[in-house]
């Protein structure tokens, strides 16, 4: 679109010689008269994508202003990343305050999008503003009316807007000219300042000094499961119910109704590939295995194949396909654990020696953290001879499992592989299926975890597993839900994992399992449970944060309905997650006052308050805890002495709270948590 | 430099067809294995320059980290903007904590610079770290030594470092090989982990996976006066001492000793151009002037010329040159007020009608803020027909005054002219003299004021003039000295201006003038006084923030040594500013506790504490104010009951304060401020 304000005349030669570079800069700068800055959300100046799920609002804020006193207007422009910006949609910005503007959009399909901002001087709005002041002061003259007619004619010349808009504009010009011929000042003015004229000018008027934000900010849109999921992890080989019989995919199929009953939606397995025998680990990570020990599933690769194969004792690809189909019938998606390392027996070692780090003695460097060694595992090298062939092979490996029906990958230790590799390979997988989900199992330094989320991971393991105190839970959740990382990092709150038997749970007894569940399921958009948790399994290797007789090294069998299980609590929270819209927005969290350091108290809500939940969790598994708390009456526009209706969601009891300060008591043996739904 | 880790082999054709775009992305991403992010300071992703003065430290912070456990290292690279980055200097980053690194540089000459960051994996440091752990565990073998020798040979091959470094490296290889021949494991290890070897490898070793921050961050370096200046404003025409005689530049020269005595370093004049007669304003902005009224100096342009000329009654260019030379002898630089608007008599109106906004009736739109009109002034149009010719003319106007010896411009109302114009024209002026200084007289919305500083203004008027309460002074100064704007905006604290007769001073009497002076001169890196302030002039137009009988519309005469003047206070503070290094760093400010809301209490200091000043200012001009205050003993490493020496800088008295809590009292009639210099 030609900017009528940017039509240079040839200048007389100035006293100083001009140079081309200086003149080019002059015009480049002049093109953006309206300042657009402070754009949020935007990650590292557009280097990485802001994340949203389908249908989730994206509110863009920016400082937009121009020199002088003229009125301005602005629009958010946005569209699929592959579409040329000239074809994007637009939505008008609204002025907020202090030169800050906002606009909100959402996206219907997963995939890559971009947005940017245009802003312009709205000379017609400026005219209206000035003309009104002059008229109020009795100083409006024919001159101002002529100027307005000129602006409207210029709008007609600019050719903006639809044909319908242009017709309306032409008609407006015609009507004004007739009024002008009759000398009807009042008639002209009334029509010029009418809403009708204003809307026509907005739709078809010239955008004077149209300026554009230079960055097309990337937005990655996921399907809902990327931000809202309840994971259940199990070792397929432990599902036979008999420690002497290696479990199969069919054994897992038999367990599906049981898992569905608890209400999970993702069923996740540690690696299912063939397991190596060289330096195989025995029970409890010993270096002296029994011949019958199955080895660690992380020692990937044997004569039966590597990352592309299934461990034969689990079943065939046909069995796997059947499992995926059956799981789907039970509301469950399968997530695979992908660990990018190899047993010394992995076929790729012979096929691709260039992918490994060979030592001068002709051996491969074992995975190690000196002086510790992981003798059953070697690492890939992602550079030198492995670049790009390994990258392609890894991509093809992901695509292979996607072809076999897997849409969720949990990646083991991604922080020990190059970030550029992840950025590239996740991008490649998304080209095939924008709904593919990658969960980063990185328990490491905060900035590294954030970087992995930036380069593309849809979900991230988190420090939740070690946050037990009220102050640290509040601090951590406030960071996750309100700081910049909330725009791109979606934590998954695992209560335990095969590698982490939290100290808290080792000493808390059943009440601690119930309160940790309550926290994970209500605070986390994504949360996860490693099987055994529902049985309050806690036996550690003494003094360590590890499970005794870990399933990583042996086949186990459990009575999944053993007494004292907390399956009902799990089912309760998963039902709540699915029934209450408030649960689906990780960022709708607010902490409120409960005057007891052992009780965490918080709310989640939809914007319209139709789903408004309050949670209280007793963090002390050994004692009753209670106290006064604040009912957020103000959020419902109620006075401090107002009355609100609360439903105790666990018991079904109905309550009426009158007054902002109320009292509650949590008995850890009875139920260490409470959930209330507020309604006016 | 070739990265030895980035030498691809041709991959076997993978199962999926590759495409060129995907492969190009792969290599582009792979090139930056080390993450470099969170770089500070950096304004709008490098769109605008960070500002420093000559010799001022620039500390750059960044999050720098890599995948895995290898050691990394990083360097800040920097140099003049016009020099190719490959020729820049470098200084090593130091690790701080939590993946944060820092490096500090400074610049010797004014002008444009840039910096960026490189980071790499330091495999030799990783080797040393691992080898030490293995050796401590008794597990170091020949293998590790061979690997170290390979790393060192690879370093020699990479050709980095000076010839001297390379020779040292070659010698190191030779020595190690001799030790290896002898089978001397210990000897090799001792040499390999020696500081000598480490330094050689750092200087000449291969920088594995050398990664580069993509932005070359611009830094603008000013001469000191841009950040540290004391301004004195006067109307030259009022310097004759006789209201019936138009003052001249020679009258100003006669006043220089008087101004030097007060210790100012910038002498600033409202516009000195010929003044138009059409619609000339009379005394007190009246529309009915007497024939003898001189008119407003902002109504620029008459038959005698426009922005390039001098008002004939002030003198000639020769007189002006003489004034500049004399001022210099008195430690004063001349600052000119440039107002980009015109009287209806400005010669450019006829010469360049395309630079003005003509109305349908053939008149030019007056400057107005409806329904108010400024009948003696019309505005320039910076676009359409004025683009680029007006821009060049304005540039040449600035260059014209620079040729006549002016290096400081105070720009009237820059926020009503296009920001791109300022960015361009300031850049053009700096090409001729990087020491030229522009002060933005924009009293407007905060983001607009910041934008003007971003586009290049060296100094900015501020809200100081209206900040009177303790809390608002603390809040505003904290923003200015600690938030991002401190990297690019340098406020100038004017206590008054010809347009602003602050309400506070209208009612405060002499004590208020002294306390406002104390605040401006001690809080501001730059500060300014409009003449008459030293005489405690305060007569307003009743009910307005304007001076009665304003010099803008008439010639005034003053007795510059009238009783009750505060020249001694001004001289005291300007002496302090020049004598104490602490005063020169606007950002060295810290507020401390004084338990009285009428006393502002703060410190300024050099890093080495050799200049450490405490200020107390009584904000209440009508009553004594005192109370307990905290002596920042902790900054000197002293305990709360320690003793420190304080010199009362105004009286010269010596004090010894024992204990953190002390008491002081400020009598506004006696002296409403106190300044102490602390020494251990």
């Amino acid at each position: 679109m030609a900017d009528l304000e940017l039509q240079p005349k040839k200048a007389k030669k100035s006293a100083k010689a001009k140079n081309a570079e200086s003149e080019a800069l002059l015009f480049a700068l002049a093109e953006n008269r309206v300042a657009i800055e402070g754009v949020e959300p935007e990650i590292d100046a557009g280097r990485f994508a802001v994340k949203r799920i389908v249908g989730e609002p994206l509110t863009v804020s920016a400082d937009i202003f121009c020199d002088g006193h003229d009125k301005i207007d602005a629009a958010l422009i946005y569209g699929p990343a592959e579409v040329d910006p000239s074809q994007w949609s637009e939505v008008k910005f609204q002025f907020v305050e202090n030169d800050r503007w906002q606009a909100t959009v959402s996206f219907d399909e997963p995939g890559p999008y971009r947005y940017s901002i245009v802003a312009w001087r709205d000379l017609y709005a400026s005219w209206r503003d000035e003309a009104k002041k002059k008229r109020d002061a009795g100083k409006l003259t024919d001159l101002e009316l002529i100027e307005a007619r000129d602006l409207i004619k210029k709008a007609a010349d600019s050719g903006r807007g639809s044909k319908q808009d242009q017709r309306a504009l032409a008609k407006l010009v015609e009507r004004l000219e007739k009024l002008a011929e009759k000398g009807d000042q009042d008639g002209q003015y009334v029509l010029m300042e009418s809403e009708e004229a204003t809307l026509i000018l907005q739709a078809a008027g010239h955008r004077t000094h149209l300026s554009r934000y230079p960055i097309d900010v990337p937005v990655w849109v996921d399907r809902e499961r990327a931000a809202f999921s309840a994971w259940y992890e199990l070792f397929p080989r432990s599902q036979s119910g008999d420690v002497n019989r290696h479990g199969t995919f069919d054994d897992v199929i038999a367990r599906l109704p049981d898992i569905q009953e608890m209400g999970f939606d993702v069923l996740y397995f540690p690696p299912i590939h063939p397991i190596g025998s060289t330096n195989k680990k025995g029970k409890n990570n010993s270096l002296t295995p029994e011949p019958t020990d199955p080895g660690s599933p992380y020692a990937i690769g044997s004569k039966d194949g590597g990352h592309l194969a299934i461990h034969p004792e689990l079943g065939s690809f046909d069995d796997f396909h059947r499992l995926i189909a059956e799981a789907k019938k039970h509301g469950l998606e399968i997530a695979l654990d992908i660990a990018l390392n190899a047993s010394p027996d992995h076929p790729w070692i012979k096929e691709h020696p260039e992918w490994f780090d060979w030592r001068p003695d002709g051996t491969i460097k074992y995975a190690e953290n000196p002086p510790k060694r992981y003798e059953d595992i070697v690492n890939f090298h992602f550079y030198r001879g492995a670049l790009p062939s390994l990258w392609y092979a890894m991509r093809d490996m992901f695509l292979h499992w996607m072809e076999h029906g897997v849409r969720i990958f949990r990646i083991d230790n991604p922080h020990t592989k190059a970030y550029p590799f992840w950025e590239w390979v996740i991008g490649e997988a998304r080209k095939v299926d924008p709904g593919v989900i990658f969960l980063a199992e990185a328990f490491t330094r905060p900035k590294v975890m954030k970087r992995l989320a930036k380069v593309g991971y849809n979900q991230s393991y988190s420090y939740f597993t070690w946050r037990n105190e009220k102050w640290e839970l509040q601090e951590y959740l406030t960071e996750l839900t309100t700081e910049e990382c909330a725009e791109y990092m979606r934590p998954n709150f695992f209560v335990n994992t095969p590698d982490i038997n939290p100290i808290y749970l080792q000493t808390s007894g059943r009440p601690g399992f119930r309160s940790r569940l309550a926290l994970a399921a209500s605070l986390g958009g994504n949360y996860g449970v490693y099987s055994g948790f529902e049985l309050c399994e806690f036996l550690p290797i003494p003094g360590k944060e590890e499970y005794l007789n870990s399933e990583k090294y042996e086949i186990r069998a459990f009575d999944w309905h053993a007494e004292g299980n907390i399956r009902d609590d799990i089912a309760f929270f998963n039902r709540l997650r699915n029934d209450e819209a408030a649960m689906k927005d990780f960022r709708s969290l607010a902490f409120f006052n409960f005057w007891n350091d052992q009780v965490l108290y918080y709310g989640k809500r939809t914007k319209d308050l139709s789903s408004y939940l309050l949670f209280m969790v007793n963090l002390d598994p050994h004692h009753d805890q209670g106290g006064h708390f604040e009912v957020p009456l103000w959020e419902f526009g109620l006075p401090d002495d107002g009355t609100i209706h609360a439903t105790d969601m666990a018991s079904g009891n109905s309550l009426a709270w009158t007054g902002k300060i109320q009292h509650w008591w949590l008995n850890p043996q009875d139920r260490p948590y409470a959930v209330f739904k507020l309604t006016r």
Side-chain angles (χ1 to χ4, degrees), chain A:
Chain A
M1 187 182 320
D3 191 326
L4 308 180
E5 301 282 313
L6 274 170
Q7 295 177 344
K9 292 199 184 166
K10 272 286 148 224
K12 289 187 206 168
K13 276 280 175 205
S14 71
K16 310 278 155 194
K18 283 172 286 191
N19 70 53
E21 195 185 331
S22 166
E23 181 144 316
L25 179 64
L26 186 159
F27 280 103
L29 292 170
E31 259 181 30
N32 287 291
R33 181 167 182 179
V34 185
I36 305 172
E37 56 180 39
V39 176
E40 288 177 337
E42 179 189 279
I43 313 304
D44 297 358
R47 168 70 180 84
F48 298 108
V50 169
K51 291 191 190 128
R52 287 294 182 274
I53 59 166
V54 166
E56 184 184 11
L58 169 69
T59 297
V60 175
S61 305
D63 297 328
I64 306 174
F65 52 93
C66 193
D67 59 281
H69 306 293
D70 276 327
K71 301 285 170 190
I72 59 167
D73 209 345
L76 183 74
I77 56 173
Y78 62 100
E82 73 277 11
V83 170
D84 187 83
S86 64
Q87 305 301 312
W88 285 355
S89 307
E90 79 168 46
V91 57
K92 290 290 274 296
F93 268 91
Q94 301 297 318
F95 177 74
V96 183
E97 58 169 359
N98 189 19
D99 292 315
R100 196 96 183 131
W101 297 64
Q102 270 189 353
T104 300
V105 289
S106 65
F107 304 89
D108 293 337
E109 297 288 337
Y113 296 83
R114 289 185 178 265
Y115 78 77
S116 192
I117 298 171
V118 289
W120 59 93
R121 289 165 76 228
D122 184 346
L123 297 188
Y124 195 71
S126 297
W127 178 87
R128 281 202 328 276
D129 187 58
E130 283 194 21
K132 185 173 184 322
K133 285 178 189 161
K134 286 183 180 171
R135 195 167 193 256
D136 291 350
K139 290 183 179 173
L140 192 75
T141 69
D142 246 356
L143 259 188
E144 280 78 24
L145 298 176
I146 296 171
E147 283 170 339
R149 288 208 305 277
D150 286 350
L151 280 171
I152 296 169
K153 283 181 202 157
K154 194 167 153 189
D157 294 343
S158 81
R160 263 194 75 246
S162 66
K163 277 187 185 164
Q164 198 183 341
D165 295 330
Q166 282 295 327
R167 270 196 303 274
L169 196 51
K171 207 165 169 187
L172 182 64
V173 171
E174 201 178 306
R175 282 163 70 194
L176 286 170
E177 277 174 352
K178 267 188 196 152
L179 290 165
E181 272 165 37
K182 281 195 282 178
D184 184 351
Q185 275 206 10
D186 272 358
Q188 286 181 75
Y189 178 76
V190 168
L191 181 53
M192 283 167 175
E193 63 92 57
S194 69
E195 202 188 329
E196 181 197 349
T198 302
L199 289 175
I200 295 172
L201 268 290
Q202 278 180 6
H206 176 57
R207 292 180 166 181
T208 305
H209 293 125
L210 186 70
S211 305
R212 191 184 191 285
Y213 188 59
I215 299 176
D216 290 347
V217 182
V219 180
W220 176 262
V221 175
D222 273 312
R223 62 190 175 111
E224 184 187 79
R225 185 124 305 159
F228 186 72
S229 59
W231 292 50
Y232 186 73
E233 173 175 11
L234 58 74
F235 282 74
R237 70 189 183 189
S238 285
Q239 305 308 312
S240 71
D242 175 355
V243 297
N244 296 311
R245 186 170 75 72
H246 195 287
T248 65
F249 289 143
D250 279 323
D251 293 318
V252 177
I253 289 172
R255 291 250 8 250
L256 292 173
D258 224 40
I259 299 163
Q260 180 179 30
E261 206 175 76
M262 288 186 280
F264 290 104
D265 42 49
V266 176
L267 178 59
Y268 139 51
F269 307 146
I272 60 170
H273 313 302
I275 295 170
S277 54
T278 303
N279 297 337
K280 185 174 76 174
K281 295 293 179 96
K283 289 192 175 71
N284 287 305
N285 201 19
S286 92
L287 286 170
T288 54
E290 303 291 317
T292 53
D293 283 339
S296 160
Y298 292 90
I300 294 164
S302 77
K303 62 173 176 29
D304 297 315
H307 285 78
L308 301 171
I310 292 173
H311 186 65
E313 290 175 281
L314 287 171
S316 65
F317 271 98
D318 282 346
D319 298 331
F320 186 65
H321 299 158
R322 202 150 32 77
L323 168 58
I324 286 183
E326 287 298 318
K328 191 171 180 186
K329 289 183 199 156
H330 290 79
L332 286 157
E333 257 188 82
I334 300 298
L336 276 201
D337 189 346
I338 301 292
L340 295 190
N341 52 47
S343 101
D345 309 322
H346 199 298
W348 278 346
I349 295 179
K350 282 199 183 115
E351 293 168 21
H352 293 285
E354 74 277 15
W355 292 353
F356 298 88
D357 230 350
W358 297 88
R359 308 197 67 186
D361 66 348
T363 63
I364 302 177
K365 209 168 150 70
Y366 291 115
E368 58 183 338
N369 188 6
K372 275 196 225 166
R373 282 183 159 200
Y374 304 96
E375 294 85 351
D376 58 343
I377 288 173
V378 299
N379 287 321
F380 294 100
H381 197 296
F382 285 78
Y383 278 80
R384 293 205 299 264
L387 184 75
S389 57
L390 176 73
W391 297 38
Y392 283 118
M394 290 301 183
R395 176 194 66 177
D396 294 346
M397 182 268 293
F398 283 114
L399 298 184
H400 164 81
W401 289 106
M402 287 162 70
E403 274 171 12
H404 286 289
V406 178
R407 302 185 76 198
I408 308 183
F409 297 102
R410 176 273 198 193
I411 308 296
D412 190 69
N413 274 335
H415 53 297
T416 60
K417 287 91 195 171
Y419 314 131
F421 165 71
W422 294 121
E423 186 168 1
W424 179 82
V425 84
I426 292 172
E428 292 285 301
R430 284 177 173 168
K431 283 185 196 165
V432 176
D433 176 6
V436 64
I437 293 170
F438 287 82
L439 163 64
E441 188 258 355
F443 291 112
T444 180
R445 308 189 307 282
K447 286 166 188 172
V448 173
M449 290 168 70
K450 288 176 181 169
R451 180 80 179 190
L452 288 164
K454 285 182 186 179
V455 301
Y457 275 91
N458 312 70
Q459 296 187 6
S460 308
Y461 276 60
S462 77
Y463 302 138
F464 168 81
T465 317
W466 299 275
R467 295 291 177 272
N468 301 308
E469 304 288 332
K470 180 171 176 170
W471 69 269
E472 63 187 10
L473 280 162
Q474 288 189 353
E475 187 179 276
Y476 187 48
L477 265 297
T478 300
E479 176 193 336
L480 293 177
T481 56
T482 68
E483 293 187 8
E484 191 194 61
C485 59
E487 301 291 349
Y488 61 83
M489 187 165 77
R490 302 195 191 97
N492 192 325
F493 288 173
F494 267 80
V495 290
N496 66 332
T497 81
D499 293 306
I500 309 167
N501 178 4
I503 304 291
Y504 180 91
L505 294 178
Q506 294 180 23
T507 55
S508 71
R510 187 171 179 268
F513 282 79
R514 297 175 83 196
S515 65
R516 292 298 295 175
L517 167 77
L519 293 171
S522 63
L523 291 170
N526 305 295
Y527 90 105
V529 157
Y530 158 50
S531 62
F533 180 88
E534 70 268 45
L535 304 176
C536 306
E537 282 279 328
F538 71 92
L539 271 186
I541 295 175
K544 294 199 171 174
E545 202 177 45
E546 292 172 34
Y547 285 101
L548 190 67
N549 307 324
S550 167
E551 287 184 275
K552 281 165 69 179
Y553 309 108
E554 64 187 281
I555 293 167
R556 299 281 304 274
F558 298 91
D559 172 4
W560 298 109
H561 291 262
E563 199 167 336
N565 74 65
I566 61 166
R567 293 172 53 93
D568 286 349
D569 297 279
I570 295 172
F572 166 71
F573 275 103
N574 283 336
R575 215 160 40 236
L576 194 74
R577 288 168 58 88
N578 288 319
D579 292 351
E580 289 293 334
M583 302 295 286
K584 305 206 171 175
D585 183 1
F586 175 59
R587 296 167 75 177
S588 77
L589 178 70
F591 289 102
F592 299 118
N593 284 317
F594 195 118
W595 286 276
N596 180 330
D597 282 348
Q598 294 295 333
V599 180
L600 192 71
Y601 171 48
Y602 48 97
K604 297 195 78 155
R605 64 182 181 289
T606 53
K607 282 233 168 79
D608 65 1
L609 307 184
S610 65
S611 173
Y612 197 114
L613 300 174
L614 292 176
F615 300 85
M616 297 171 186
V617 181
N618 181 354
L619 305 175
D620 173 1
H622 305 297
H623 305 94
D624 289 11
Q625 295 288 350
H628 286 96
F629 66 95
E630 224 169 6
V631 185
L633 293 175
W634 62 88
E635 295 220 358
F636 290 84
L638 292 172
D640 286 1
D641 60 355
T643 297
I644 199 154
H645 185 259
T647 306
D648 180 334
M649 300 297 279
S651 70
N653 291 342
S654 237
L655 301 150
W657 282 328
T658 298
K660 198 171 76 169
I661 306 299
Q662 298 289 333
H663 193 275
W664 201 261
W665 202 257
L666 295 163
N667 175 328
Q669 297 300 331
D670 175 25
R671 190 185 297 117
Y673 57 83
V675 184
F676 301 102
K677 180 171 183 171
L678 296 194
T679 38
R680 250 198 100 146

